[in-house]
Amino acid sequence: MLENRNISKDVLLAAQPPQLQPPWTTPARAELLAGVREFSRTEVLPVANKHDRTETAIPTELMGRLAELGYFGITVPAEFGGLGLGVFEYSLISEELSRSWMSVASIIARAQGLGTRFEDPARRTELTRRSARGDWIGAAAFSEPDSGSDLASIQTVARRTGEGYRITGQKRWCGNAFEGDFILVMCRIVDEADELGPIRTFALAKPRNSFPAGVSGEPIDKIGYHGIVSWNLTFDDVHASPDDLVEPFGFSGAEGQGFKAVSNGLNVARVQTAARAVGLARGALEDSIEYLQTRVQFGSPLGDFQALRFTVADMAAKVAQARSFYQYVANLMDSGVPCEKEAAMTKLLATEMAVEVTGQALQLHGGNGYTREHAIERYWRDARLTTIFEGTSQIQQKIISDRILPRPLS
């Protein structure tokens, strides 16, 4: 059938990845995009297809390659050894990595200067350099068994003592907590008179593949997002020094700004999540384009059937729309424009789109899509998580509606 149409198989299989378009394209971005795209295709995808099934952490060798390429320091200033780029490039790289394995696009978010904003300038400089070279990769212990989206209701406490603080409580969904170099722990400060104080964050340093003294953990049995091991953690009277207090996402100001810092950091994380969702959906789309041309039914490739062609057209339009939106919002952020509402919007639309498009892709693969013989099932499982982490779709709707509708009077 392929020969009868006078089109070579190689041409039929060429699902074309998107090109960066004006006004966003520059020679530097074009070079960056070409490099990450080649790395993702030749090094990340083969590892993902094999290693995702083991449900263990991303292999050390691949982590080393991410460090060599500078992807742990995309947004770290060049003076500290980073690439010195913005949210736009960060998101661009994240889409390309997610097209192969979302977990790889997620692990780079655990550097980027995370957990470096200590009061001591020398320590801040040292750790920022380590972050840029992939030697200071952390975990965020923010959520709890009874506190997910509502971070302000956390129950973990850091009680002041003569020697510092003692942390007690439970945390949930702590990805990379065992494997990383530090754990960021959000706590409610309690003074020596048992008075509740502000929410602050501590960075507990530790050797890789271990927990700090007094911390124990159980891995969460997830249906997807393998490569990032997520943990339930228990903190049992864990010592922390006043020097461990950190503003996790770049704030270095007054007492009590820890919660504000997390909220600000989540805006960037939501745009990056939108890019990750687009990468997943794009992988599903591109794989479907190839599959529909090689799977023959009723004497013709599936790609000849109009109903399936129109499905692909709809998928492609939705992926392109979500990409355009996240790039627009990333550019706003790099321009210094406040855009909490827009960050919530792009995260909401892109992640819901990814669930829809990966589901359509699985359907296009028929029974074969419901096997582990194709990457579609991985994209499908991982896409479902994007509507949950970094704030659920319902939280994004609340953020958006609170900024465009007046609040009730009573």
Side-chain angles (χ1 to χ4, degrees):
M1 177 61 67
L2 299 182
E3 289 72 19
N4 292 340
R5 299 168 73 188
N6 295 318
I7 303 176
S8 73
K9 185 176 181 180
D10 288 340
V11 171
L12 287 173
L13 291 176
Q16 295 297 319
Q19 298 302 311
L20 196 59
Q21 299 294 332
W24 314 126
T25 185
T26 66
R29 284 176 174 172
E31 182 180 358
L32 181 75
L33 180 60
V36 66
R37 183 167 286 169
E38 179 67 12
F39 168 70
S40 181
R41 181 182 66 84
T42 62
E43 298 188 52
V44 177
L45 186 58
V47 173
N49 289 338
K50 178 180 179 181
H51 195 82
D52 184 80
R53 302 184 185 189
T54 70
E55 302 186 13
T56 56
I58 296 169
T60 302
E61 296 79 7
L62 187 53
M63 293 285 285
R65 285 289 291 136
L66 290 167
E68 288 175 18
L69 293 167
Y71 295 157
F72 288 114
I74 299 165
T75 60
V76 174
E79 64 187 285
F80 298 109
L83 298 182
L85 302 174
V87 178
F88 190 100
E89 289 84 4
Y90 179 39
S91 300
L92 196 71
I93 291 170
S94 296
E95 177 187 334
E96 292 302 325
L97 296 177
S98 286
R99 191 265 175 258
S100 296
W101 197 10
M102 186 177 73
S103 298
V104 173
S106 298
I107 197 64
I108 65 171
R110 286 159 172 80
Q112 311 302 330
L114 181 72
T116 63
R117 297 295 299 182
F118 291 95
E119 185 175 343
D120 178 29
R123 188 180 185 192
R124 187 161 63 238
T125 296
E126 175 201 355
L127 292 177
T128 302
R129 292 187 179 280
R130 287 181 58 186
S131 180
R133 64 175 183 259
D135 191 32
W136 184 248
I137 303 171
F142 298 159
S143 297
E144 298 181 356
D146 296 316
S147 173
S149 298
D150 182 14
L151 290 177
S153 69
I154 62 172
Q155 300 298 307
T156 298
V157 298
R159 190 175 301 276
R160 293 185 192 269
T161 67
E163 58 182 7
Y165 299 86
R166 310 298 294 190
I167 300 175
T168 301
Q170 293 184 316
K171 293 293 184 178
R172 184 163 170 79
W173 300 115
C174 306
N176 201 49
F178 184 75
E179 299 79 9
D181 300 296
F182 65 96
I183 302 176
L184 289 177
V185 189
M186 181 183 285
C187 309
R188 176 73 68 177
I189 301 296
V190 178
D191 66 20
E192 295 178 23
D194 286 339
E195 293 290 331
L196 294 179
I199 293 174
R200 297 299 303 274
T201 303
F202 295 83
L204 303 182
K206 65 183 190 64
R208 289 187 177 180
N209 300 315
S210 71
F211 289 129
V215 178
S216 58
E218 293 290 335
I220 299 173
D221 188 13
K222 301 175 298 186
I223 63 173
Y225 198 37
H226 303 313
I228 304 286
V229 181
S230 301
W231 296 86
N232 289 323
L233 299 181
T234 298
F235 294 78
D236 185 9
D237 206 31
V238 177
H239 172 70
S241 164
D243 293 336
D244 294 329
L245 283 166
V246 65
E247 300 297 350
F249 291 104
F251 276 80
S252 57
E255 178 85 1
Q257 284 194 331
F259 178 69
K260 183 179 179 183
V262 171
S263 299
N264 181 71
L266 283 174
N267 291 332
V268 176
R270 284 164 181 160
V271 176
Q272 195 232 4
T273 298
R276 286 183 285 175
V278 169
L280 289 168
R282 193 185 111 209
L285 171 64
E286 291 176 358
D287 285 6
S288 295
I289 290 171
E290 295 184 1
Y291 183 80
L292 292 180
Q293 294 175 94
T294 57
R295 175 70 169 171
V296 175
Q297 293 287 280
F298 306 105
S300 297
L302 291 177
D304 283 357
F305 295 95
Q306 180 171 286
L308 305 188
R309 296 173 68 86
F310 284 5
T311 297
V312 168
D314 287 342
M315 292 163 64
K318 290 171 182 176
V319 172
Q321 180 185 49
R323 178 182 299 105
S324 295
F325 195 11
Y326 92 64
Q327 290 178 348
Y328 165 73
V329 179
N331 184 69
L332 288 181
M333 285 190 164
D334 288 336
S335 301
V337 178
C339 50
E340 183 178 25
K341 177 184 68 177
E342 290 80 4
M345 285 178 169
T346 192
K347 198 271 184 185
L348 171 66
L349 295 181
T351 59
E352 293 291 342
M353 176 279 299
V355 171
E356 179 183 358
V357 166
T358 56
Q360 289 173 316
L362 192 147
Q363 187 73 21
L364 290 174
H365 281 68
N368 290 329
Y370 204 68
T371 71
R372 285 194 155 184
E373 297 172 1
H374 298 270
I376 290 297
E377 59 87 25
R378 182 173 73 250
Y379 302 139
W380 179 58
R381 286 185 286 110
D382 287 354
R384 192 63 186 84
L385 179 61
T386 64
T387 66
I388 299 172
F389 65 7
E390 313 297 359
T392 64
S393 291
Q394 289 69 39
I395 289 295
Q396 308 313 312
Q397 290 170 329
K398 182 180 187 304
I399 292 170
I400 297 162
S401 62
D402 284 351
R403 283 149 185 80
I404 62 177
L405 279 173
R407 304 289 293 177
L409 296 178
S410 60

